[in-house]
Amino acid sequence: EVQLLESGGGLVQPGGSLRLSCAASGFTFSGYTMTWVRQTPRKGLEWVSAIGSSGDSTFYADSVKGRFTISRDNSKNTLYLQMNSLRAEDTAVYFCARDDVAVVRGIRVGYYFDSWGQGTLVTVSS
Amino acid sequence: DMQMTQSPSSLSASVGDRVTITCRASQSISTFLNWYQQKPGKAPKLLIYAASSLQSGVPSRFSGSGSGTDFTLTISTLHPEDFATYYCQQSNSPPHTFGGGTKVEIK
């Protein structure tokens, strides 16, 4: 059974830092792109960052670029999100998700998040 | 960034009703469109990927259609456990943006 378990959330002051972790089990972690998604009541679901299976390619939303760093340790089956220069608007529940791809006759026809963690709450407030 | 617009933002329905939710992309995304269901306090759950492919384990009363910019999620016969919020998401180009959600409530 695929399991993703986030940790590291909490209360942090504006300008502070936090590192989220996502421990994966039940699948070959090194074979999948992984993504962080966050959710707030006001903005809904927001794609934050993604990292390729080997860690050599990373992607960021404009809202976090230059402040957040995604990484992974395939030997530990763990995904990370280092969050620096945190702002009030970063307050959210952060989910990690596994990316999968649909292929039909050798052509990629879809990318989707087929497994999600339970989420960890990050609150940025003084 | 690609904008995803869902409608309606909420609806009231009864058990047994047929429910249709629409999602419109600001640009053509072919069939790179997914649908998720979310219940309070839980993570989203994948229902439909690539516009019309049913995720394993999801009941067949859920179906998706569309291509280009206009997409539809249909629940053929609403069950009590289907009262939730539904989100579309495009995966054609990063960032893989989500729609604003449609809350399906009990009438």
Side-chain angles (χ1 to χ4, degrees), chain A residues 37 39 45-47 59 62 95 102 108-114 116-118, chain B residues 1 31-32 34 36 38 42-44 46 49-50 55 87 89 91 95-96 98:
Chain A
V37 175
Q39 185 171 32
L45 290 166
E46 181 184 11
W47 179 95
F59 308 89
D62 287 344
F95 297 97
R108 297 186 178 193
V109 297
Y111 302 91
Y112 49 90
F113 303 142
D114 67 341
W116 297 64
Q118 86 290 348
Chain B
D1 294 353
T31 56
F32 287 82
N34 308 313
Y36 300 87
Q38 188 179 32
K42 301 292 188 180
L46 179 68
Y49 63 93
Q55 172 68 350
Y87 296 92
Q89 180 217 12
S91 59
H96 293 171
F98 292 85

Side-chain angles (χ1 to χ4, degrees), chain B residues 44-105:
Chain B
K45 172 189 173 184
L46 179 68
L47 299 176
I48 302 286
Y49 63 93
S52 61
S53 295
L54 190 68
Q55 172 68 350
S56 176
V58 174
S60 60
R61 62 182 180 273
F62 291 94
S63 64
S65 64
S67 66
T69 60
D70 294 308
F71 301 86
T72 299
L73 173 69
T74 300
I75 309 172
S76 59
T77 305
L78 202 61
H79 285 211
E81 60 267 31
D82 299 338
F83 292 97
T85 301
Y86 294 84
Y87 296 92
C88 63
Q89 180 217 12
Q90 66 84 15
S91 59
N92 182 67
S93 58
H96 293 171
T97 42
F98 292 85
T102 296
K103 187 173 184 179
V104 177
E105 299 175 298

Side-chain angles (χ1 to χ4, degrees), chain B residues 13-33:
Chain B
S14 301
V15 172
D17 284 354
R18 181 182 181 89
V19 169
T20 299
I21 299 168
T22 63
C23 179
R24 174 164 289 175
S26 57
Q27 305 169 40
S28 177
I29 57 171
S30 184
T31 56
F32 287 82
L33 190 284

